[in-house]
């Protein structure tokens, strides 16, 4: 078959639902839709947000499982109920009629869908400190509920780059009594915040962080952060560094559909990133399009993202049932 013939064949495929993204949210939604006897295609670019982490946590009965293993088992479960999972990227999607979408893939092919579930996740924007990105998800961390237990009772540093750093330091103090707040480029804490930090035994370190000191060979993954280097050359002992990453949605398909964006704002007014605005079940302002997972809630953990995918799938299936019922009623009236 020629490339042109293959593309024409691919372009003829159509599904009840196309799921954009094969993480916990997308696969959970696809699993539920497959069990509802819907034809489902999951398009996964293979860049899960938690890929650098050694394990996923707080997922009942699956705590500690490596992210890659969890997703591999999820893909197998989806396939068991007739769902398809393909590696690729959705570069655009557009409505081509009532209840119909054309979904363009990065390889030049396109498929049809009656409904869309966008679960394409987030992209984390990390501070530009040399060596930090390479250690992201290992001992450069952001979520205490995901990683705090693994670094409990160790020396933990919190890198201040914005107004929520003091809150982070106070939170991580739950897991260790050896916590330091590196002021770096963040704002000076208020008098009240200094008092809170002192009351919890959290040291405040002045100066900009310029690098990380790492101990171990790294041949078997046994290398670890041993210290944080300041601009003046001083190295402060540290075994884990907490940061506040900015997170934004993977934007190609979101932009093409014209989905409404919103900002993630903390209680103190700090803007942490963006997400797609949606109703509680994941329905967006674009008819026929649902969102689930981090694209809709940047703070969702693996189990939370999976739950969002399940709820969105239930709404999608019922929306299709209503459409099919309306069609059946029209056809019955014509026949009568």
């Amino acid at each position: 078959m020629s490339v042109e013939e293959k593309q024409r064949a691919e372009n003829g495929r159509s599904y009840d639902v196309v799921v954009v993204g094969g993480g916990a949210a997308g696969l959970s939604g696809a699993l539920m839709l497959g069990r509802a006897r819907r034809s489902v295609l999951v398009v996964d670019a293979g860049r899960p947000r938690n890929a650098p982490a050694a394990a996923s946590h707080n997922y009942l009965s699956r705590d500690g499982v490596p992210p890659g293993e969890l997703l591999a088992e999820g893909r197998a479960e989806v396939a068991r109920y007739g769902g398809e999972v393909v590696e690729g990227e959705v570069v655009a999607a557009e409505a081509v009629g009532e209840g119909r979408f054309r979904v363009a893939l990065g390889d030049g092919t396109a498929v049809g869908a009656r409904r869309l579930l966008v679960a394409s996740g987030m992209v984390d924007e990390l501070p530009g400190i040399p060596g930090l990105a390479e250690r992201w998800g290992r001992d450069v961390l952001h979520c205490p509920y995901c990683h705090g237990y693994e670094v409990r009772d160790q020396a933990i540093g919190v890198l201040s780059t914005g107004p929520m750093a003091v809150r982070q330091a106070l939170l991580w103090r739950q897991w260790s009594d050896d916590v330091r707040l590196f002021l770096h480029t963040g704002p000076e804490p208020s008098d009240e915040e200094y008092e809170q930090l002192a009351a919890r035994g959290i040291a405040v370190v002045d100066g900009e962080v310029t690098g990380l000191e790492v101990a171990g060979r790294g041949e078997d993954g046994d290398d670890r952060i041993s210290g944080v280097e300041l601009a003046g050359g001083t190295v402060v002992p540290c075994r884990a560094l907490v940061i506040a990453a900015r997170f934004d949605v993977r934007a190609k398909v979101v932009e093409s559909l014209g989905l409404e964006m919103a900002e993630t704002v903390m209680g103190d007014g700090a803007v942490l990133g963006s997400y797609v605005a949606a109703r509680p079940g994941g329905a967006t302002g674009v008819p026929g399009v649902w969102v689930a997972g981090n694209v809709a809630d940047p703070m969702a953990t693996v189990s939370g993202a999976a739950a969002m995918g399940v709820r969105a799938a239930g709404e999608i299936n019922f929306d299709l049932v209503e459409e099919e019922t309306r069609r059946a009623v029209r056809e019955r009236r014509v026949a009568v």
Side-chain angles (χ1 to χ4, degrees), residues 177-208:
D177 59 7
D178 188 357
V179 177
R180 292 178 175 84
L181 175 63
F182 292 90
L183 290 185
H184 190 49
T185 59
E188 183 82 11
S190 66
D191 291 342
E192 181 182 2
E193 289 173 330
Y194 267 121
E195 183 179 26
Q196 292 172 343
L197 294 167
R200 293 292 282 157
I202 299 172
V204 177
V205 181
D206 292 317
E208 188 170 341

Side-chain angles (χ1 to χ4, degrees), residues 76-277:
E77 288 179 349
V78 169
R80 189 184 309 158
Y81 292 98
E84 297 178 44
V85 182
V86 298
E87 183 177 345
E89 183 178 11
V90 173
V91 295
E94 62 177 339
V96 291
E98 185 177 354
R100 302 296 304 176
F101 293 90
R102 180 181 183 277
V103 182
L105 308 184
D107 63 358
T109 63
V111 297
R114 296 171 65 192
R115 301 293 185 272
L116 297 178
L117 174 55
V118 179
S120 50
M122 313 289 298
V123 176
D124 293 292
E125 182 181 323
L126 310 181
I129 296 174
L132 187 146
E134 291 78 4
R135 310 204 64 80
W136 177 235
R138 297 178 56 192
D139 41 21
V140 173
L141 312 169
H142 75 297
C143 173
Y145 301 105
C146 302
H147 306 288
Y149 190 81
E150 282 60 50
V151 296
R152 64 193 184 280
D153 300 325
Q154 299 180 31
I156 300 173
V158 177
L159 184 73
S160 177
T161 53
M164 68 174 293
V166 171
R167 178 183 298 181
Q168 279 186 299
L170 293 170
L171 181 58
W172 279 83
R173 176 62 177 79
Q174 173 68 22
W175 283 265
S176 175
D177 59 7
D178 188 357
V179 177
R180 292 178 175 84
L181 175 63
F182 292 90
L183 290 185
H184 190 49
T185 59
E188 183 82 11
S190 66
D191 291 342
E192 181 182 2
E193 289 173 330
Y194 267 121
E195 183 179 26
Q196 292 172 343
L197 294 167
R200 293 292 282 157
I202 299 172
V204 177
V205 181
D206 292 317
E208 188 170 341
V209 173
T210 56
L212 305 176
E213 185 180 79
V214 177
R217 298 183 305 276
E219 298 172 358
D220 300 312
D222 60 348
D223 55 319
R224 285 288 305 276
I225 289 176
S226 59
V228 171
E229 184 176 349
L230 302 177
T234 301
V235 175
V236 180
C238 183
R239 296 289 288 173
L241 183 65
V242 175
I243 67 169
R246 177 184 171 89
F247 29 74
D248 291 297
V249 301
R250 300 184 190 277
K252 288 183 180 179
V253 66
V254 169
E255 291 176 353
S256 67
L257 287 166
L259 300 180
E260 180 186 354
M261 301 295 296
E263 290 185 331
T264 304
V265 182
M266 300 301 292
D268 54 12
V271 177
L272 301 185
S274 61
Y275 65 95
V276 176

Side-chain angles (χ1 to χ4, degrees), residues 27-119:
L27 290 174
S28 295
L31 177 62
M32 188 165 179
L33 288 163
R35 286 178 52 80
R37 309 186 72 179
R38 295 295 181 184
S39 59
V40 182
L41 173 68
V42 179
V43 183
D44 183 30
R47 297 192 298 270
R49 186 184 183 193
N50 64 348
S56 301
H57 293 288
N58 301 309
Y59 201 147
L60 191 63
S61 82
R62 303 295 288 151
D63 184 72
V65 66
E69 180 181 325
L70 184 68
L71 297 183
E73 293 182 10
R75 289 191 289 271
E77 288 179 349
V78 169
R80 189 184 309 158
Y81 292 98
E84 297 178 44
V85 182
V86 298
E87 183 177 345
E89 183 178 11
V90 173
V91 295
E94 62 177 339
V96 291
E98 185 177 354
R100 302 296 304 176
F101 293 90
R102 180 181 183 277
V103 182
L105 308 184
D107 63 358
T109 63
V111 297
R114 296 171 65 192
R115 301 293 185 272
L116 297 178
L117 174 55
V118 179

